[in-house]
Amino acid sequence: MHNKLLSKSLLVTTTQLTMILIAVASIFLVFIIIAIIKMYKLKAENKKLMETNAFKDVDESYKDFTSGHLYGDN
């Protein structure tokens, strides 16, 4: 009797399983859409920042210090 009760409580119909899978898939779809929107916003912001003069000033002030004698550059 205990086995019959346990096996009946673990049964899931195809309709219930389909509804659960649709709910989980829709939640993940929302997360994917949010991630895509954030990616495009960050890409636009990065493009805008790369066009400013502040980045160009920092890039020009960089000097390569790896040509010293400690690195074996003869």
Side-chain angles (χ1 to χ4, degrees), residues 49-62:
L49 287 174
M50 292 293 283
E51 292 173 353
T52 61
N53 289 334
F55 180 75
K56 292 176 184 173
D57 292 341
V58 172
D59 193 35
E60 291 172 359
S61 66
Y62 175 75

Side-chain angles (χ1 to χ4, degrees), residues 2-3 12 18 22 25-26 30-31 35 40 50 53 55 63-65 68 70 72:
H2 184 63
N3 275 344
V12 178
T18 305
I22 288 173
S26 62
V30 168
F31 286 147
Y40 280 115
M50 292 293 283
N53 289 334
F55 180 75
K63 296 178 183 174
D64 188 14
F65 296 105
L70 293 174

Side-chain angles (χ1 to χ4, degrees), residues 11-39:
L11 288 178
V12 178
T13 64
T14 308
T15 307
Q16 290 172 337
L17 185 62
T18 305
M19 296 301 278
I20 291 169
L21 290 175
I22 288 173
V24 170
S26 62
I27 290 170
F28 279 114
L29 187 64
V30 168
F31 286 147
I32 289 171
I33 290 171
I34 290 171
I36 290 172
I37 291 170
K38 284 190 175 194
M39 180 188 68

